[in-house]
Amino acid sequence: MLFQLSITIGILAANLINYFTAKMENGQGWRVSLGCAAIPALIFMVGSLFLPDTPNSLIGRDKHDEALTQLRKIRGVDDVEEEFSDMVAASEASKGVKSSQWSNLVQRKYRPQLVMVICIPFFQQFTGMNVIMFYAPVLFKTIGFGSSASLASALISGGVNCLATLVSIYVVDKKGRRFLFLEGGIQMLLCQIFVAACIGWKFGMNGDPGQLPTWYAWTVVAAICIYVAGFAWSWGPLGWLVPGEILPLEVRSAGQSVNVSVNMIFTFVIAQSFLRMLCVMKFILFAFFACFVAGMTIFIFFLLPETKGIPIEDVAAVWKSHPYWKRFVNQDDQNQNQKKEVV
């Protein structure tokens, strides 16, 4: 969750820099904006020198004393022996698996996790959120804002994105993952339909975008901000949280690799295709993404079990009681039991 919060803070900082450097009189503001990207790169480089190992990583390398110390530091309490024992047991079980993580991941019993680490990052990108974040000034200018106003509107949406992520961090363990996924999906869907209707009614497919009336422009901005908030407290952080916590140790590295790869591939696809899509589809672009939002909300409703309050070491059990996924997990367990009986 803090990973996603860091992203939103970075987006807000970039929007702030772009807004103020655009006002530089010598026309060199873009150089300053581009050069500022070296600052977080430097922070990453220096910070990596002080990055500690996780308890699971230390246990996997048989450094149990260091792992226990690190776990106590993370939890802030000394009484972590029960959790530590579970982590050691899970690590030993994962070491007992002879095949590679990649071959394990495609096994039938890991079908639920494989589907989730592919579909969740795919749907996360096809919410249309990166369209707003990557091209907010272009988008706002296209629908009738001036250059300065479009940068200000992008700054507002970036601020909403950051604040709403904090809301998610606060409520995710109170309301649960499914609730936030479903509420955020419905919120985004309604806002996208509303924005598409507003822009379509004002301009149609061939209208001159010109300047929007002030009240009309701020109505569109408000709807986009509500949409951004819906994403920022649901699919934004949960797109990283849920795939990370549903993967057992024996397939965690491979599963996370798939999750990140799918996310980055479709981030690239959206970034490269958006401007062309905007020119051709205009306001229908919002309806296009709304269709994906509707689909992914249905996907979550029927296929994602709730994982709130379940330790990572025990999360595999949720699939055994799920109405759909139990046929994959339980069938695999039955096959293994039959093989043992034969032996």
Side-chain angles (χ1 to χ4, degrees):
M1 300 288 277
L2 291 176
F3 170 75
Q4 178 66 16
L5 178 62
S6 299
I7 291 176
T8 62
I9 292 172
I11 293 170
L12 179 60
N15 286 334
L16 277 168
I17 292 169
N18 290 338
Y19 180 76
F20 288 107
T21 56
K23 298 179 180 295
M24 296 177 66
E25 296 180 356
N26 58 5
Q28 299 299 307
W30 68 271
R31 297 182 186 273
V32 177
S33 178
L34 186 62
C36 285
I39 297 175
L42 181 63
I43 294 173
F44 269 115
M45 184 175 67
V46 175
S48 65
L49 301 176
F50 303 94
L51 190 66
D53 289 307
T54 65
N56 273 326
S57 174
L58 292 168
I59 291 171
R61 288 176 282 153
D62 295 324
K63 298 181 178 181
H64 287 199
D65 292 339
E66 294 181 36
L68 184 59
T69 300
Q70 187 67 14
L71 185 60
R72 285 171 175 162
K73 182 179 179 181
I74 292 172
R75 300 302 182 212
V77 295
D78 292 331
D79 185 16
V80 295
E81 279 73 15
E82 183 177 354
E83 181 182 4
F84 181 75
S85 297
D86 289 341
M87 295 173 70
V88 171
S91 177
E92 293 300 324
S94 66
K95 290 180 180 179
V97 178
K98 302 301 181 182
S99 53
S100 70
Q101 289 205 14
W102 292 103
S103 60
N104 286 334
L105 187 61
V106 297
Q107 291 180 13
R108 182 182 175 88
K109 66 178 180 179
Y110 297 119
R111 189 69 50 78
Q113 291 92 335
L114 178 60
V115 170
M116 291 301 162
V117 297
I118 293 175
C119 290
I120 288 178
F122 169 81
F123 282 133
Q124 185 191 53
Q125 295 310 308
F126 276 85
T127 59
M129 180 60 178
N130 274 344
V131 169
I132 302 296
M133 291 295 101
F134 286 172
Y135 298 106
V138 175
L139 178 62
F140 285 121
K141 188 174 181 180
T142 300
I143 62 176
F145 290 74
S147 298
S148 180
S150 66
L151 287 170
S153 299
L155 182 58
I156 293 171
S157 63
V160 170
N161 187 28
C162 186
L163 292 175
T165 304
L166 290 172
V167 173
S168 179
I169 293 174
Y170 179 74
V171 304
V172 67
D173 281 328
K174 301 179 186 297
K175 297 295 185 180
R177 283 76 165 137
R178 275 174 53 86
F179 173 83
L180 289 179
F181 265 133
L182 296 173
E183 189 282 331
I186 294 171
Q187 183 173 326
M188 286 189 289
L189 176 62
L190 295 176
C191 289
Q192 285 173 318
I193 293 173
F194 179 78
V195 171
C198 286
I199 299 175
W201 177 72
K202 183 67 179 177
F203 301 125
M205 289 297 294
N206 301 310
D208 180 5
Q211 285 291 330
L212 289 171
T214 301
W215 68 269
Y216 202 94
W218 282 109
T219 300
V220 174
V221 171
I224 289 178
C225 285
I226 295 172
Y227 158 81
V228 169
F231 175 88
W233 61 48
S234 62
W235 280 86
L238 296 183
W240 299 106
L241 172 66
V242 172
E245 69 181 8
I246 64 174
L247 291 165
L249 284 175
E250 58 267 25
V251 295
R252 180 177 299 281
S253 296
Q256 285 286 49
S257 298
V258 173
N259 179 49
V260 175
S261 297
V262 172
N263 190 295
M264 294 297 109
I265 288 170
F266 285 101
T267 298
F268 174 80
V269 170
I270 292 295
Q272 296 301 313
S273 61
F274 164 71
L275 289 177
R276 179 60 180 169
M277 293 172 68
L278 180 62
C279 292
V280 174
M281 302 175 69
K282 297 182 172 62
F283 72 92
I284 296 179
L285 182 63
F286 289 93
F288 170 81
F289 287 117
C291 292
F292 282 97
V293 173
M296 70 194 197
T297 303
I298 295 171
F299 171 85
I300 292 296
F301 182 80
F302 286 105
L303 296 179
L304 182 69
E306 180 57 68
T307 55
K308 180 185 73 172
I310 301 176
I312 290 179
E313 292 76 18
D314 301 327
V315 77
V318 302
W319 307 106
K320 296 182 179 181
S321 58
H322 189 272
Y324 178 76
W325 294 120
K326 65 182 181 181
R327 71 186 68 181
F328 294 92
V329 180
N330 292 340
Q331 181 64 42
D332 189 85
D333 289 343
Q334 292 173 9
N335 292 340
Q336 289 183 358
N337 291 333
Q338 291 174 359
K339 290 180 181 179
K340 291 179 180 178
E341 291 175 0
V342 171
V343 173

